[in-house]
Amino acid sequence: MSNCLFCKIIAGEIPAAKVYEDDRVIAFNDINPQAPMHVLVVPRRHIATLNDLSAADDGLVGSMVRAGAQIARAHGFDGPGFRTVFNCNAQAGQTVFHIHLHVLGGRTLAWPPG
Ligand code: 5GP
Ligand code: ZN
């Protein structure tokens, strides 16, 4: 989608610090990290929110979660622990309307979230 920030990052029109990519997803460091590791795992295909997923996307979402776990392991956070978050729509704090999995680690994370 032409006016989507993450589509522009995927297209290489806006720079990002990429940490992982495959045929379906890319992952890059969040520009405003909330933990020592804060990576966003993003599907190459534009999907605005979790509400727009269909059963055909189950494999894609699985790839996103597995990529997140692989990135956390590469940082050494598989043992200590890490958090994955999808925000959906305004009340959850979604600001970029191209789905993305936040992967956070490297500090103790409070629960419940704010
Ligand atoms: P949301 O609030 O939609 O769940 O998360 C959007 C995330 O995108 C935020 O954590 C924000 O810091 C990050 N972000 C916003 N603009 C950019 C950008 O231009 N580059 C990168 N790498 N991250 C961004
Ligand atoms: Zn997009």
Side-chain angles (χ1 to χ4, degrees):
M1 193 171 271
S2 59
N3 63 348
C4 169
L5 175 65
F6 288 172
C7 282
K8 286 180 182 164
I9 288 176
I10 290 159
E13 294 165 13
I14 291 175
K18 234 180 264 180
V19 299
Y20 175 85
E21 64 182 317
D22 63 28
D23 56 333
R24 297 207 277 190
V25 309
I26 77 162
F28 48 85
N29 290 326
D30 196 293
I31 205 168
N32 182 23
Q34 301 302 310
M37 175 191 69
H38 187 172
V39 170
L40 304 173
V41 182
V42 180
R44 290 187 183 277
R45 180 160 59 86
H46 181 88
I47 301 170
T49 79
L50 291 191
N51 295 325
D52 301 302
L53 290 170
S54 71
D57 299 315
D58 288 359
L60 175 62
V61 174
S63 295
M64 292 173 70
V65 173
R66 288 204 316 107
Q70 187 176 319
I71 291 160
R73 188 180 310 119
H75 283 79
F77 298 142
D78 49 337
F82 61 95
R83 182 169 294 170
T84 54
V85 177
F86 280 106
N87 294 322
C88 182
N89 276 340
Q91 209 163 67
Q94 185 175 6
T95 58
V96 178
F97 287 84
H98 179 137
I99 64 167
H100 47 281
L101 181 65
H102 294 261
V103 186
L104 301 129
R107 67 173 174 86
T108 299
L109 297 162
W111 192 264

